[in-house]
Structures are given as structure tokens and as C-alpha cells.
Amino acid sequence: YTVIEGERSIPKIYIEPEAYDEMKRIFHMGRRHPQSMYEQQVGLVGFKTGDILVVRYVFEDYGAYRYKDNAIFNRRIMEVAKFETEVINKNFADSDDADCYMGGAKKYSFLGFAHSHPVQEELCYSVGDDLIHRRMVKKCRNYVGILIYPEKELLGAYYGPDVVQTDLVIVEADDI
């Protein structure tokens, strides 16, 4: 995989191995697959510890209307994000893993979305992506957006009200 480094004055985004494996499966990363030729989107769930945001879980987002190389953001997407985050927290509270390390957080939070630009090798938000990101920051203080070019496994992360690129770290299973 290739990670694009961003500015250093803002939080780093870490994606844990299981979450990254799920992203690779959903986006068909590293392959030219018919489904990866359309924009796709996943929700990101995790926690904040210090100046690090950790993505522990992802969920498929069927709320976006997909057409050609465009996905249209709509109100239903946030309903799906809220529901999926609640399900993760409920199942986590009832699991044997409830005492696993979360950097002091008591429950998981919705962190943002990762979506693909299947025909755009350079990782650059569209005007629409930029507007959505700025709106989402107002709703979710630690909102992060991850942009993916699936065929080449390129990823970039964007953070904050100024929509700046930040460091993105894919955690290897051996690092945990």
C-alpha cells in the first residue's frame, strides 16, 4: 500500500489491521474490479487517544446513491452511521473484549468516512467532497475523511475545518 503523508500539526490517523483488511475487501483494493469502478464508501468507527485517531471498525455504507463515478451524499448516510456506531458499542459492551485498550475512551465514536475515487489517481477532494467534509466537521468534531484510489491502493486522509491532509498509518498486525 502507499500512504500519502500530510501536515504534522494535526492528528495522525491509524487504521488497525482488521479495519484495513475489511477496507481492502470492500474496495477491491489492488485490483480492477467492476464494483470498484464506482465510488464506494465505508464508515469509520474508533476512538481518539491524545493526538491520534484510531480506526478500529469500518462498516459498509449503502446510504449513498451510486451512479457512474459519483456517489451522492444524503441524509440517510448519517442515520446509517449513527445506527452502525450504536450497534458496535452495544456489541462491544456485551463482549469479552470490553476492557481492551481504547486510550481512555469509554465507547467508540463515529470518526468519518472513507470513499473511493476510482478514476482519479491523484488523491484530491472534489469540490463536493470539500463541502461535505466542512459540513461534517461541524457535526463531528474529530471528523476524518479518507480518500482511496482502489486499483493502486493509494490512500490519503483529510482532517479538520480547513480540510488539510494528515498522516495516515496502516498498522501492521505485528505492530500490535
Side-chain angles (χ1 to χ4, degrees):
Y1 53 84
T2 304
V3 176
I4 306 299
E5 286 196 19
E7 297 183 19
R8 301 246 185 254
S9 62
I10 52 180
K12 283 187 178 182
I13 312 302
Y14 283 76
I15 302 176
E16 290 189 342
E18 293 83 8
Y20 187 63
D21 287 345
E22 190 69 3
M23 289 172 73
K24 289 192 315 188
R25 181 190 68 75
I26 293 166
F27 289 103
H28 303 280
M29 289 206 283
R31 304 184 331 205
R32 186 172 176 82
H33 187 280
Q35 286 182 319
S36 66
M37 295 295 101
Y38 288 83
E39 277 196 24
Q40 297 182 67
Q41 181 166 286
V42 297
L44 310 170
V45 177
F47 58 94
K48 184 173 184 189
T49 177
D51 63 348
I52 296 171
L53 291 169
V54 179
V55 176
R56 183 160 284 170
Y57 300 106
V58 301
F59 59 87
E60 291 187 71
D61 181 9
Y62 299 109
Y65 297 121
R66 295 182 352 183
Y67 177 72
K68 295 190 178 178
D69 66 343
N70 220 355
I72 300 170
F73 201 85
N74 62 50
R75 216 167 268 170
R76 185 174 177 325
I77 290 172
M78 286 312 298
E79 293 169 8
V80 170
K82 182 179 178 189
F83 174 77
E84 293 294 339
T85 304
E86 288 172 358
V87 167
I88 289 168
N89 276 310
K90 169 76 171 103
N91 290 331
F92 174 72
D94 294 342
S95 76
D96 293 334
D97 296 331
D99 62 348
C100 75
Y101 178 75
M102 288 179 53
K106 302 292 185 218
K107 65 180 189 169
Y108 292 108
S109 300
F110 169 73
L111 298 177
F113 291 107
H115 79 282
S116 61
H117 278 192
V119 296
Q120 178 185 349
E121 281 192 52
E122 59 283 343
L123 295 174
C124 181
Y125 263 4
S126 67
V127 172
D129 294 337
D130 188 83
L131 292 171
I132 289 167
H133 186 105
R134 290 174 192 277
R135 258 190 310 189
M136 291 302 299
V137 166
K138 292 176 184 174
K139 295 179 185 214
C140 307
R141 189 170 47 115
N142 290 309
Y143 183 80
V144 62
I146 296 176
L147 191 56
I148 300 170
Y149 176 57
E151 190 175 346
K152 301 280 188 197
E153 289 189 69
L154 295 173
L155 294 95
Y158 298 85
Y159 182 83
D162 295 326
V163 194
V164 293
Q165 202 166 29
T166 186
D167 291 339
L168 177 62
V169 178
I170 310 299
V171 178
E172 301 289 335
D174 297 342
D175 295 339
I176 296 180

